[in-house]
Amino acid sequence: MLESILLTIATAATPLLLAAIGELVVERSGTLNLGVEGMMVMGAVGGFVGMILTGNPFIGALVGVLFGTILSLLFAFLALTLATNQYATGLALTILGLGLSGLIGEPYVGRSAVRMPVLDIPVLSDIPIVGRLLFGQDVIFYISIALVIGVAWFLFRTKQGLTLRSIGDNPQSAHALGIKVIRYRYLAVLFGGACAGLAGAHLSLVYTPQWTENMSAGRGWIALALVVFASWRPARVLAGAYLFGAVSIGQLHAQALGIGIPSQVLSALPYLATVLVLVLISQNRRLTLINTPASLGKSFVPDR
Amino acid sequence: MRLELIKRGNPSRALQFLSPLIGLALAVLTGAIMFAILGKDPLAALYVYFVEPLTELWSIHELLIKAAPLILMGAGLSVCYLSNNWNIGAEGQFIMGALAGSIFPVLFTDVQSPFVLPLMMVFAIVGGALWAGIPALLKAKFNTNEILVSLMLVYVAELILDYLVRGPWRNPGGMNFPESVRFHDLARIPELMPADGRANWGIVIAILVAIAIWVMLSRTLKGFEVKVLGTSPRAGKFAGFDAKKMIFFSFLLAGGCAGLAGIIEVAGASAQLRPIISPGYGFTAIIVAFLGRLNPLGVIVAGLVLALTYLGGEAAQISLGLSDKVARVFQGALLLYILACDTLIHYRIRFARAPKASGSAVDA
């Protein structure tokens, strides 16, 4: 019982974690891409359609990553090259992604999927309770954990990571030092798109192996909130994603038990929890001000 | 080769006017390509989508029904965006306005008087404004991100509506369908010209509200305050304008407009509450606000254009068998194009061939 609950929490947390860790890198570069929801839902439809057409969920996941990346390239071109308003561009990306995914996925509604297989690491996965949680999951779970470690290492242990963070704080100075600000930001945005795409693919290949319209159901936005919650720190993104995974799974279990609360109240819990967490975090101005990339959301146009 | 942006000395006035038109043209072109990919004759499809709905009187009535909420919400959102407050939860404020406004026709069906409708509208405005007041309060008091809060509240509002129409507000004589009772005649918004079509006074209200907001923005100190605080918060502070009060002002105004739009929708065309009362009007209104250049008069035109995308979507679905999702793709692309074209107002675009040698500053 406990083991299966832990497993479902990990399954619910993985897409949030992936989308949030990608967006964390984007925001560390000083760019705010509000289109996570759109990239995620495109990843979901890409993953599903890719899997149906090839019969292979791994290729499906790659198609999902590709879809998310392509959409993020569109954002990068507008927000970075053309210096459009990042808020509005991200919103447009979400509207476009929701529409496009609905259009692409329409013929595939109701088809059932080949679920992504579980990679059982022998012996280790037989450890009671945590064995399957840590060593008997689908491959996307392992990627999500590896990405958190990788991003933390990159941001705080490498020269390029330091450069990326400095760009997020002060692109003018970085540019004056000869750093290619726009190139760094492009790479960060594309990384974020790939992560959001993989997060979406996880939804349609692992979480609920099927395609339904708007199946991301606000998770992209919750991922954005998680980045704020984590005050732009990878390890805290991990903790936050699992906390939210627990809330959404707890909500499902409560519904299944049929305790006398309307199901809609329980369904609203993840969204209300997001608001609550945002309030608690933003109240702590010191914490948020220290870590918020200083140029977040501001366009940068290099003067030649 | 890469693109370079070169700042213009003065924003180009001509492009300020042309940019939304270029954006629209590019979106229509994209639509034609999309139709071709979907295996339809692009020209015929464009005709069905954008022209045919305008050739018949009843269809123009339907256009006005769809334009009313878009204009109302777009005008309200313009004030938010001009003042740099990112309310993207109009969809939720629309729903909460519709719910608050429906209290009378659903719960007090025996109250039948000419005062019911005005009262419903007041309730709707208050309902929408209160819902928008939540992100405003949290932003003003705790510095909480208003984008995420207003958006989360959309999902919560949808669930409240779902709960009410499936639970306590379900029509007891409705064969178990998840819908409320039909509103009685005094709780309906009267039709403009019943002989020709279904359009109601909602569109007139929407245009009057948009004009009122335009007057506020362009002719009053409050409007000046909105723009100063939006473009330069520091300058606004020195001028003695209160940024926190502006958060409330813009959010409550936009929320009130969205609430009014909500009751116009349910007391107008649909006459009852259902689990889904909006085809994404609140999000489309964001596009309306930008296409209208954040100017309420422009919003009136933009609202009609975006209403046409809904109507054309329905027409294309019926006569061409195209998916109704085409409308959403078109709307998303339109917003991206408008934003891209707006860059031309402030920048000249130059194609630079080779990466320039570092440190050379001759090119001036």
Side-chain angles (χ1 to χ4, degrees):
Chain A
M1 177 69 181
L2 180 64
E3 186 186 27
S4 72
I5 289 179
L6 285 176
L7 270 172
T8 47
I9 288 176
T11 311
T14 300
L16 295 174
L17 179 58
L18 280 167
I21 198 73
E23 179 67 12
L24 185 143
V25 173
V26 180
E27 294 192 13
R28 277 285 186 176
S29 82
T31 316
L32 182 67
N33 184 355
L34 292 180
V36 180
E37 178 84 0
M39 301 187 297
M40 200 164 170
V41 78
M42 281 300 278
V45 78
F48 193 77
V49 173
M51 180 275 302
I52 291 280
L53 294 182
T54 62
N56 184 333
F58 295 100
I59 296 178
L62 283 179
V63 177
V65 170
L66 189 70
F67 273 33
T69 314
I70 291 173
L71 213 60
S72 71
L73 184 63
L74 194 60
F75 175 85
F77 178 69
L78 280 141
L80 302 179
T81 302
L82 294 182
T84 57
N85 180 308
Q86 294 182 6
Y87 295 85
T89 310
L91 289 175
L93 206 66
T94 289
I95 294 173
L96 182 72
L98 288 172
L100 212 51
S101 64
L103 190 63
I104 295 171
E106 204 164 42
Y108 300 91
V109 173
R111 303 275 296 265
S112 58
V114 181
R115 198 178 190 278
M116 184 160 276
V118 161
L119 289 184
D120 256 321
I121 298 172
V123 186
L124 285 177
S125 64
D126 295 334
I127 303 170
I129 301 178
V130 295
R132 287 209 36 220
L133 180 67
L134 294 178
F135 304 107
Q137 297 253 25
D138 59 277
V139 67
I140 300 180
F141 165 84
Y142 298 114
I143 294 176
S144 74
I145 302 293
L147 277 176
V148 174
I149 299 168
V151 164
W153 171 79
F154 170 78
L155 282 177
F156 301 108
R157 292 279 181 277
T158 67
K159 187 163 168 278
Q160 285 81 5
L162 178 68
T163 309
L164 187 84
R165 285 187 289 137
S166 73
I167 286 171
D169 279 328
N170 194 336
Q172 283 80 13
S173 314
H175 176 68
L177 290 171
I179 294 165
K180 306 258 186 249
V181 172
I182 300 293
R183 184 176 301 172
Y184 266 91
R185 287 192 169 174
Y186 252 91
L187 291 173
V189 167
L190 292 181
F191 175 74
C195 287
L198 187 61
H202 183 276
L203 287 179
S204 63
L205 294 172
V206 179
Y207 193 66
T208 44
Q210 58 177 11
W211 165 252
T212 48
E213 208 190 333
N214 297 348
M215 72 181 298
S216 47
R219 287 188 184 84
W221 296 102
I222 292 180
L224 277 159
L226 275 176
V227 180
V228 181
F229 166 78
S231 52
W232 295 269
R233 297 240 157 210
R236 292 188 200 150
V237 163
L238 182 74
Y242 275 76
L243 192 69
F244 271 76
V247 171
S248 44
I249 292 304
Q251 169 258 120
L252 287 179
H253 280 280
Q255 284 193 24
L257 289 174
I259 50 176
I261 302 172
S263 69
Q264 291 91 347
V265 175
L266 296 168
S267 303
L269 281 182
Y271 307 114
L272 292 173
T274 308
V275 172
L276 184 71
V277 154
L278 282 171
V279 170
L280 292 177
I281 291 296
S282 344
Q283 243 180 322
N284 190 340
R285 284 195 99 111
R286 204 175 50 83
L287 182 76
T288 46
L289 280 182
I290 285 177
N291 288 306
T292 314
S295 77
L296 186 60
K298 295 186 191 126
S299 294
F300 172 70
V301 179
D303 50 342
R304 292 150 301 126
Chain B
M1 196 178 76
R2 64 201 174 90
L3 284 177
E4 265 183 5
L5 299 184
I6 298 159
K7 191 131 184 110
R8 293 178 194 273
N10 294 310
S12 158
R13 280 196 70 85
L15 276 165
Q16 219 152 348
F17 187 73
L18 278 174
S19 145
L21 297 179
I22 302 173
L24 199 58
L26 287 171
V28 170
L29 190 68
T30 306
I33 295 170
M34 185 164 63
F35 293 140
I37 292 173
L38 293 168
K40 310 286 170 192
D41 173 12
L43 284 181
L46 284 180
Y47 181 81
V48 170
Y49 205 103
F50 292 107
V51 183
E52 208 171 64
L54 298 174
T55 55
E56 285 183 78
L57 203 52
W58 68 266
S59 181
I60 290 177
H61 276 256
E62 296 300 310
L63 183 78
L64 297 179
I65 289 175
K66 291 188 162 61
L70 294 175
I71 292 170
L72 263 173
M73 286 193 274
L77 289 179
S78 298
V79 177
C80 278
Y81 301 156
L82 279 174
S83 67
N84 211 10
N85 286 298
W86 289 87
N87 175 11
I88 59 168
E91 182 86 355
Q93 293 143 26
F94 176 95
I95 293 172
M96 293 311 277
L99 287 179
S102 303
I103 290 175
F104 275 92
V106 172
L107 294 183
F108 304 101
T109 40
D110 47 338
V111 182
Q112 304 230 355
S113 104
F115 294 110
V116 169
L117 190 60
L119 215 56
M120 285 162 62
M121 292 193 166
V122 172
F123 269 61
I125 293 170
V126 173
L130 285 179
W131 202 244
I134 300 171
L137 179 74
L138 297 180
K139 180 181 182 184
K141 239 183 136 55
F142 305 122
N143 197 30
T144 309
N145 184 313
E146 78 273 23
I147 298 177
L148 295 170
V149 174
S150 62
L151 198 101
M152 289 296 128
L153 291 177
V154 172
Y155 295 97
V156 177
E158 283 174 351
L159 288 163
I160 294 175
L161 168 66
D162 192 76
Y163 167 70
L164 285 175
V165 294
R166 290 176 199 279
W169 285 17
R170 189 207 294 258
N171 179 6
M175 323 266 273
N176 241 0
F177 278 113
E179 53 189 33
S180 74
V181 292
R182 285 188 74 81
F183 294 7
H184 57 79
D185 282 348
L186 288 169
R188 297 284 310 272
I189 295 173
E191 291 180 352
L192 268 174
M193 289 175 271
D196 303 326
R198 298 195 305 148
N200 57 54
W201 282 86
I203 182 70
V204 178
I205 298 172
I207 290 174
L208 289 178
V209 169
I211 292 174
I213 294 178
W214 176 77
V215 170
M216 185 273 290
L217 280 174
S218 58
R219 297 277 183 277
T220 68
L221 180 65
K222 195 78 196 167
F224 182 65
E225 195 181 327
V226 168
K227 287 180 231 165
V228 170
L229 281 171
T231 43
S232 169
R234 266 172 66 84
K237 208 165 136 191
F238 290 132
F241 297 150
D242 187 334
K244 284 203 171 152
K245 278 193 188 145
M246 183 51 68
I247 298 175
F248 284 104
F249 177 77
S250 62
F251 264 85
L252 295 183
L253 181 72
C257 287
L260 186 57
I263 199 64
I264 285 175
E265 177 69 16
V266 293
S270 52
Q272 63 182 169
L273 292 170
R274 299 198 187 97
I276 290 169
I277 55 175
S278 157
Y281 284 144
F283 299 109
T284 308
I286 299 171
I287 305 171
V288 169
F290 279 97
L291 180 63
R293 305 235 57 90
L294 304 183
N295 174 339
L297 297 187
V299 161
I300 297 175
V301 181
L304 292 166
V305 172
L306 266 301
L308 184 59
T309 66
Y310 277 113
L311 210 56
E314 286 170 13
Q317 198 178 2
I318 295 164
S319 58
L320 299 173
L322 278 173
S323 161
D324 59 333
K325 275 88 188 176
V326 168
R328 274 228 114 28
V329 178
F330 180 81
Q331 293 174 356
L334 176 61
L335 183 50
L336 286 171
Y337 284 126
I338 300 165
L339 295 168
C341 292
D342 276 0
T343 300
L344 293 171
I345 297 171
H346 296 287
Y347 298 98
R348 230 182 287 281
I349 288 183
R350 203 184 68 167
F351 294 94
R353 279 204 180 277
K356 42 144 183 92
S358 62
S360 72
V362 252
D363 185 27

